Amino acid sequence: QVQLVESGGGLVQAGGSLRLSCAVSGRTFTTYALGWFRKAPGKEREFVAAISWSGKSTYYTDPVKGRFTISRDNAKNTVYLQMNNLKPEDTAVYYCNADTHFPLPPVYDYNYWGQGTQVTVPS
């Protein structure tokens, strides 16, 4: 199975930006579609953004459209999430995951998660 190591989270004021990174190892990176998910306190983990194997196709959950951008660097086996104009409701632990299917399977289909990276946007 793949190994996932997320990084880049932190505390940022509303309106600020962060760039999350996820290093993926264990399988051939270019065969995987990739996604970002998040889990806010007291809520279920939810989908945020996904990117295809080639990087040419992406899709997002509605609350982040126009503010977040997912990208990938196949030479570095890394997927990124650029988050701009952050809001308090973006506060969550952010996780990445990978699958050979695109669109990605629903969040409950994944058996393995990394440790995630905490993003906090105070209100």
Side-chain angles (χ1 to χ4, degrees):
Q1 71 182 21
V2 295
Q3 286 79 49
L4 309 162
V5 179
E6 302 93 344
S7 62
L11 175 68
V12 61
Q13 297 302 312
S17 298
L18 281 174
R19 187 194 196 203
L20 307 183
S21 300
C22 174
V24 182
S25 60
R27 294 285 178 88
T28 304
F29 186 72
T30 52
T31 64
Y32 282 94
L34 301 163
W36 284 96
F37 303 80
R38 65 187 180 185
K39 187 178 188 307
K43 296 185 177 180
E44 297 292 319
R45 191 167 2 220
E46 64 178 0
F47 166 80
V48 176
I51 189 166
S52 64
W53 312 273
S54 66
K56 293 180 179 179
S57 297
T58 61
Y59 61 98
Y60 301 86
T61 187
D62 284 347
V64 309
K65 285 180 180 177
R67 300 188 297 122
F68 290 11
T69 303
I70 188 171
S71 62
R72 63 190 292 164
D73 185 336
N74 288 346
K76 296 182 178 180
N77 287 10
T78 301
V79 61
Y80 303 99
L81 186 68
Q82 178 67 44
M83 306 187 296
N84 298 329
N85 191 21
L86 282 160
K87 302 177 180 181
E89 51 263 43
D90 296 318
T91 295
V93 178
Y94 283 71
Y95 303 85
C96 66
N97 221 314
D99 198 270
T100 55
H101 298 91
F102 186 81
L104 291 175
V107 61
Y108 49 79
D109 270 4
Y110 298 90
N111 295 321
Y112 170 77
W113 294 92
Q115 84 288 347
T117 186
Q118 175 72 49
V119 172
T120 302
V121 188
S123 57

